[in-house]
């Protein structure tokens, strides 16, 4: 299994990318393969950019000399934290949808019917 499968637990979903022939959902194969290939590098880049931005915000707040600049820095840090919370919630929603894609599209039933 790939690194993505071990982290996100998407092994059951991504296994269907090879067995979609004749189900009517063949278009999902390349999409799932792309997700498996691109997800980890994208997450690594986004985490690095976010960490750099958080450091810059902290330095700006520490170097703020006037109360107005300090308040502006606090607002930016709060917006950053809210953004992180939104991203985490969206990742959880994507994880839940991806883990249940087989039942959403009825692929599990199609795969069972094909095995009989």
């Amino acid at each position: 299994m790939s690194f993505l499968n071990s982290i996100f637990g998407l092994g059951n979903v991504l296994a269907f990318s090879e067995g979609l022939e004749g189900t009517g959902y063949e278009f999902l194969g390349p999409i799932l393969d792309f997700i498996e290939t691109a997800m980890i590098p994208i997450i690594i880049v986004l985490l690095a950019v976010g960490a750099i931005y958080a450091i810059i915000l902290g330095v700006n707040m520490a170097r703020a000399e006037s109360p107005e600049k300090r308040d502006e820095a606090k607002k930016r840090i709060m917006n950053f934290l809210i953004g992180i919370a939104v991203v985490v919630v969206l990742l959880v929603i994507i994880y839940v949808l991806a883990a249940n894609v087989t039942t959403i599209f009825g692929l599990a039933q199609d795969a069972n019917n094909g095995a009989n």
Side-chain angles (χ1 to χ4, degrees):
M1 287 283 153
S2 72
F3 185 62
L4 175 67
N5 293 347
S6 63
I7 290 178
F8 292 106
L10 299 177
N12 294 337
V13 174
L14 299 175
F16 277 100
S17 67
E18 292 131 14
L20 292 173
E21 296 82 22
T23 62
Y25 296 105
E26 291 86 6
F27 67 93
L28 288 177
I31 295 170
L32 293 174
D33 290 339
F34 174 75
I35 289 171
E36 181 180 19
T37 305
M39 183 79 76
I40 296 299
I42 290 171
I43 289 175
I44 290 170
V45 168
L46 289 177
L47 287 173
V49 169
I52 291 169
Y53 186 63
I55 291 169
I56 290 171
L57 288 176
V59 169
N60 285 342
M61 186 170 172
R63 294 181 65 195
E65 296 178 6
S66 67
E68 294 84 21
K69 287 184 179 181
R70 196 166 290 122
D71 288 339
E72 181 65 28
K74 283 181 186 178
K75 288 179 187 176
R76 287 184 184 214
I77 290 174
M78 287 303 296
N79 288 339
F80 179 75
L81 294 175
I82 290 169
I84 288 176
V86 168
V87 168
V88 167
V89 168
L90 290 175
L91 283 175
V92 168
I93 290 171
I94 289 171
Y95 175 77
V96 168
L97 288 176
N100 295 314
V101 74
T102 56
T103 56
I104 291 170
F105 286 110
L107 293 176
Q109 296 167 354
D110 291 340
N112 289 335
N113 290 338
N116 291 330

